[in-house]
Amino acid sequence: MAASWDGSNDPGSQSDDSFHFERLHIEPLYDAFVCPLTKQVMRDPVTLENGQTFEREAIEKWFKECRESGRRLVCPLTLQELRSAELNPSMALRNTIEEWTTRNEAAQLDIARRSLNMASPENETLQALKYVQYICRRSRSNKHTVRNAGLIPMIVDMLKSGSRKVRCRALETLRVVVEEDDENKELLAEGDTVRTIVKFLSNELSKEREEAVSLLYELSKSATLCGKIGSINGAILILVGMTSSNSEDLLTVGKAEETLSNLERYEANVRQMAECGRLQPLLSQLLEGPPETKLAMAGFLGELVLNNDVKVLVARTVGSSLINIMKSGNMQSREAALKALNQISSCDPSAKILIEAGILAPLVNDLFAVGPNLLPTRLKEISATILASVVNSGEDFYSISFGPDHQTLVSEDIVRNLLHLISNTGPAIECKLLQVLVGLTTSPTTVLSVVSAIKSSGATISLVQFIEAPQKDLRLASIKLLQNLSPHMGQELTDALRGSVGQLGSLIKVISENTGISEEQAAAVGLLADLPERDLGLTRQLLDEGAFVMVISRVIAIRQREIRGNRFITPFLEGLVKIVARVTYVLAEEPDAIALCRDYNLAALFIDLLQSNGLDNVQMVSATALENLSIESKNLTKLPEVPPPSYCASVFSCFSKPPVISGLCRLHRGICSLKDTFCLYVGQAVPKLVGLLDHTNVNVVEAALAALSTLIDDGVDIEQGVAILVEAEGVKPILDVLLEKRTETLRRRAVWAVERLLRTDDIACEVSADQNLSTALVDAFQHGDYRTRQTAERALKHVDKIPNFSGIFQNLG
């Protein structure tokens, strides 16, 4: 026995185990115990009619082979022909063998027990563990023997061995010991054993991971242990990771999957799985579980943080079920459903799925309901939040109807109810409902309906008042709403801001905050920028409050990179420039506007902004502002004082000479400067404006051409203006603008400018042979509006394409 228990033979298969261990005996092995066919100790001995004894299974197989081959039934040992295949159980021998086996197994188990310690050689420990597996597989009752012998804790201790082979064998042995034995599973789960097994899941050795997950799978078959496995920190996370791993073998992945399926019986585990990204168990129980389980799962779902792809999956799977719970459940169920819907509606694709599932009607009912179905305020806030998310998903709500009356969210009654609710609830709900209106006014198909309802309900002033709200989110929502409304009701908003006390100041205060550039600041700037630029009253109020000075400083700070850029810097700068440009629209009526432009050299600032490549709106607004400043130049230019003639010159005209005055502007015939009179020629703005004439944005081209047109407008020396354009190589780009025919407005401006250029004979002579130009002028003459046709006619006369009858009539006279 001792010679055979040294582990020199480490069998690899279960049949090898039987062959090896059945030859380890404490008591002598009698020949009568051994089957002549299998050469192994018999378990169910039977006797033939000739008195020979065999293992039942072996002799039955022998008889079967005889019949199938057509041979006579003979005894395999004596080859004696048998009259009968009857098998007589040998009970006495069987009992004797069992008693002998029990004594041997007990003795061998005791030897194995002594080998299960850290001091034993590796081979002895491996052999002892293999023997435990062998006897447990031989008989289920042996598992009780192993448990009663105290071997389970000893095997668990082997998990701490420094030998990888021993650890793997110990995991494998524990799995065999607990298979189909709940008592052994309970005993194994005592203490920190399960935690130790879980640690093996993250081991770098794949064999240990495979054995550990197989053992956990066996333990997870016990409902009472599912909670304990799930309570081990990281257990479910690791198992979920194994199921999606490309580096694990299929057997390990399959066992991990089966283990998780067993663990789903415990609600807390389902929640953990959902947190780890395995949502299907939660969704399945939400769809198919009993009411209390559905409630719990909806509650879990409302607390999860989900990425957008998962939100879409959840919306598709359980969106309709959650909406049904929201419509018909008790208050507790409705709350759980609302929280879950709030979680999954914050992504545009999932919000669209919920719209298709019919979420609009119950949301609107929850917000407007009165009586017994009235939601508490905290749940109304959630409903408002969901509605805000849904509305901002980009769908066309003008065509989406709901309810028995087939209303839409922009039906006048619905918008009026929203406005009424905004004025009669707390800040949290007000903020969400304003966000609903923001979403509805973002779309061109729905904004006009909202504008109509606001005007008819007289809600403009109440909406403007939210600018002063202390809550930042509420202010932001109101400012964004007003910004969306300003293109459609700009004058009403301007009147409300000018007529209210504090709102305009609050808007300016938001813009002036030195906290970087926030979304609120960008929205506030956008709102002010979109208000009617020619409203003198608003501009004067902005001048009085020092808003322009602050805005100019912010523009300069951005240009000098003193303010760091973020995702709002472009709309912020565009709005700031547009606000500054307001002063250029009231120069003729407001002396303070001229003073501001001079004090801060705004003409130079706008010329600099012309070079803001990539910021089309900044370039367009700057060019328009320069047009306004240039128009005013002719009124600001200081005409030179001519000295009085001498006495002789006054008496004798032959002695008089016209005085020569140097330093005059060739365009305005006076004393000009960029800072004081806003002269584009002196400020060297002309080449920069010419450079914008080939811009891809037609609005930039139109603004640049309008600014250049002031050089050849009435009130200036047109001949010199044309010469300045020639020197700046601006004639051909202007002609090209006409030839491109990009928009009607641009064609009208180009025809006007070309007619002015063609008054110069040299230019007219040079381009008269250009057939393309003639065709463009003829097209404008035939298809333009009345003023464009007149201008085109004059231009065609300059190039002799139309007879100049006025000259003929003068000669005839």
Side-chain angles (χ1 to χ4, degrees), residues 546 548-550 552-553 556 580 592-606 675 678:
F548 288 112
V549 176
M550 179 271 296
I552 292 167
S553 68
I556 294 173
V580 177
D592 287 346
I594 294 177
L596 179 78
C597 293
R598 287 172 170 168
D599 291 344
Y600 293 92
N601 200 4
L602 290 190
L605 177 61
F606 286 123
K675 182 176 181 181
F678 321 133

Side-chain angles (χ1 to χ4, degrees), residues 692-698 701 732-743 746-747 750 772 776:
L692 294 178
L693 291 179
D694 66 347
H695 201 286
T696 55
N697 188 324
V698 68
V701 177
K732 184 178 185 305
I734 292 175
L735 297 177
D736 289 342
V737 170
L738 174 60
L739 295 177
E740 289 174 1
K741 304 177 184 178
R742 295 169 75 175
T743 67
L746 196 53
R747 179 169 73 169
N772 291 329

Side-chain angles (χ1 to χ4, degrees), residues 179-291:
E179 281 176 347
E180 300 180 2
D181 194 308
D182 289 342
E183 292 184 24
N184 283 357
K185 288 175 183 174
E186 294 289 342
L187 178 61
L188 178 60
E190 292 179 359
D192 284 341
T193 305
V194 177
R195 187 184 305 276
T196 302
I197 297 168
V198 168
K199 288 181 180 178
F200 280 99
L201 295 179
S202 54
N203 197 292
E204 61 182 10
L205 299 171
S206 60
K207 181 62 176 175
E208 291 188 11
R209 292 198 302 273
E210 178 185 330
E211 294 295 348
V213 75
S214 296
L215 176 53
L216 275 181
Y217 168 63
E218 287 300 327
L219 294 176
S220 69
K221 292 178 181 179
S222 170
T224 58
L225 294 183
C226 287
K228 182 154 191 175
I229 296 173
S231 69
I232 304 299
N233 186 32
I236 289 178
L237 176 60
I238 297 172
L239 287 168
V240 171
M242 294 175 80
T243 60
S244 58
S245 173
N246 293 325
S247 60
E248 298 287 355
D249 62 78
L250 294 178
L251 176 62
T252 302
V253 171
K255 287 296 181 184
E257 187 70 47
E258 292 174 331
T259 303
L260 288 169
S261 297
N262 290 338
L263 296 180
E264 291 172 12
R265 292 174 290 183
Y266 197 71
E267 279 189 6
N269 293 343
V270 173
R271 178 173 184 172
Q272 277 198 68
M273 291 178 198
E275 290 171 347
C276 297
R278 186 183 174 90
L279 272 171
Q280 199 54 52
L282 184 148
L283 302 181
S284 297
Q285 293 194 26
L286 183 55
L287 289 172
E288 302 166 4

Side-chain angles (χ1 to χ4, degrees), residues 624-642:
T624 301
L626 289 172
E627 176 197 3
N628 296 337
L629 290 168
S630 183
I631 291 173
E632 194 62 22
S633 291
K634 57 191 175 187
N635 300 323
L636 299 176
T637 299
K638 296 179 180 178
L639 299 177
E641 294 183 5
V642 181

Side-chain angles (χ1 to χ4, degrees), residues 270-325:
V270 173
R271 178 173 184 172
Q272 277 198 68
M273 291 178 198
E275 290 171 347
C276 297
R278 186 183 174 90
L279 272 171
Q280 199 54 52
L282 184 148
L283 302 181
S284 297
Q285 293 194 26
L286 183 55
L287 289 172
E288 302 166 4
E292 61 275 9
T293 300
K294 288 185 176 181
L295 177 60
M297 294 300 110
F300 289 164
L301 188 57
E303 297 171 8
L304 291 175
V305 177
L306 309 173
N307 63 42
N308 288 345
D309 290 339
V310 175
K311 289 176 183 177
V312 173
L313 169 66
V314 174
R316 284 182 180 148
T317 308
V318 298
S320 296
S321 297
L322 290 171
I323 292 171
N324 289 333
I325 295 173

Side-chain angles (χ1 to χ4, degrees), residues 2 73 207 210 307 320 333 426 449 481 522 554 617 620 646 650 654:
L73 290 181
K207 181 62 176 175
E210 178 185 330
N307 63 42
S320 296
S333 299
S449 299
L481 173 60
R554 300 304 293 269
N617 289 336
M620 178 189 68
S646 63
S650 62
C654 60

